[in-house]
Amino acid sequence: MNIILFGPPGAGKGTQAQRLAEEYKIPHISTGDILRANVREGTELGIKAKGFMERGELVPDEVLIGIIADRLREDDCESGYLLDGYPRTIPQADALEQILTEIDKPIDYVINISVPEKDLIARLSGRVMCKCGASFHKLFNPPKEENLCDACGKELYQRTDDTEEAVVERLKAYNKQTSPLVQYYEEKELMKNVDGSKSIDEVFLSIKKILD
Ligand code: AP5
Ligand code: MG
Ligand code: ZN
């Protein structure tokens, strides 16, 4: 199964991706998680990406295209892939198409999770994250034990780009640079829309219905 999870910041891509990866036994590839790991480790890539991410801007296309070209060639993608947070611009989508042709793994579906903007802001401002990629919310999806990850037990943290200023920039970047991909994938007849304003379980079921 070859899937792209698409949607604005806070739509629930990471939340759904974790469940879907488990359900369909395909790797969850989040470019945001990859970049954050590089920032934490202080790699050359992380140093390059840090400022863009903290300001809520997109990291330059050539950086992301390189990451995804390497990642999709790893062995675990034999079973498929679940992309989360990539592509985010038309050049990224065009590059992806070329890579997927080369490795012969065409996209099955692009799942577009849509949520009203006021809900996105509420979701991001209360989010707490784990280094393992798991996402929680202080009110909407609290961890079983306060401030500890349900999945791996590590301490949760707040993302440096979940500040009000950075969230405004991220939404702007989405509207300007990423939302044109809706039409891009609609024209290719790959886009499936899901109402992301429902509960986490309901959203999961509506995605499953499309995929099964
Ligand atoms: P990235 O990490 O991809 O962030 P994002 O797209 O802004 O999306 P989020 O991770 O914030 O939201 P999500 O949809 O995963 O929501 P979540 O499931 O956590 O990118 C970060 C940065 O990296 C970018 O700004 C950019 O700088 C850079 N970057 C990454 N990829 C790039 C690319 N391809 N090109 C260029 N730059 C790139 O859920 C959010 C909250 O809501 C959580 O608290 C969760 O518990 C809660 N929640 C989820 N579902 C529900 C629900 N149904 N009901 C109630 N609450 C819910
Ligand atoms: Mg995410
Ligand atoms: Zn964890």
Side-chain angles (χ1 to χ4, degrees):
M1 187 108 61
N2 306 331
I3 310 293
I4 295 179
L5 272 190
F6 185 85
K13 302 182 293 296
T15 303
Q16 297 298 332
Q18 279 226 322
R19 293 188 171 201
L20 293 165
E22 211 168 290
E23 178 84 14
Y24 295 99
K25 311 277 177 249
I26 47 176
H28 169 202
I29 303 177
S30 157
T31 45
D33 288 348
I34 294 172
L35 290 169
R36 278 184 291 279
N38 277 277
V39 170
R40 268 198 303 275
E41 287 155 20
T43 66
E44 203 180 316
L45 170 64
I47 292 165
K48 207 187 266 181
K50 190 169 190 264
F52 292 103
M53 295 175 78
E54 281 178 352
R55 289 190 299 274
E57 295 166 12
L58 294 186
V59 175
D61 284 340
E62 65 273 17
V63 175
L64 270 298
I65 292 167
I67 293 176
I68 232 53
D70 290 344
R71 183 63 187 87
L72 285 170
R73 284 185 170 84
E74 284 181 32
D75 290 345
D76 60 347
C77 296
E78 280 305 317
S79 54
Y81 52 81
L82 180 58
L83 289 181
D84 158 9
Y86 185 100
R88 274 181 140 91
T89 63
I90 302 270
Q92 288 185 20
D94 287 337
L96 178 66
E97 199 159 81
Q98 200 182 326
I99 297 162
L100 295 178
T101 307
E102 280 165 23
I103 62 175
D104 193 24
K105 291 201 174 65
I107 301 162
D108 293 316
Y109 296 108
V110 180
I111 309 283
N112 181 20
I113 308 178
S114 45
V115 176
E117 203 157 294
K118 65 165 182 20
D119 296 351
L120 296 174
I121 294 167
R123 287 184 184 188
L124 294 173
S125 59
R127 171 166 61 184
V128 277
M129 290 272 300
C130 179
K131 279 182 192 160
C132 78
S135 202
F136 301 89
H137 191 282
K138 287 174 187 163
L139 303 174
F140 308 148
N141 182 28
K144 290 193 184 81
E145 266 190 78
E146 204 183 322
N147 221 35
L148 295 180
C149 177
D150 290 357
C152 75
K154 284 204 193 89
E155 205 171 322
L156 303 177
Y157 73 100
Q158 218 159 356
R159 266 170 55 174
T160 51
D161 62 348
D162 279 346
T163 59
E164 209 183 310
E165 301 79 9
V167 166
V168 168
E169 283 310 311
R170 284 158 64 200
L171 290 170
K172 264 194 220 161
Y174 174 80
N175 289 326
K176 191 163 167 229
Q177 292 165 278
T178 307
S179 66
L181 289 174
V182 173
Q183 197 189 339
Y184 179 100
Y185 285 118
E186 264 169 4
E187 281 168 7
K188 293 182 189 291
E189 295 180 4
L190 291 171
M191 195 63 124
K192 299 281 175 190
N193 294 303
V194 166
D195 178 0
S197 65
K198 304 243 172 71
S199 74
I200 293 174
D201 287 342
E202 284 171 299
V203 177
F204 179 65
L205 286 178
S206 31
I207 299 175
K208 245 178 82 68
K209 218 163 145 188
I210 295 168
L211 302 183
D212 285 343

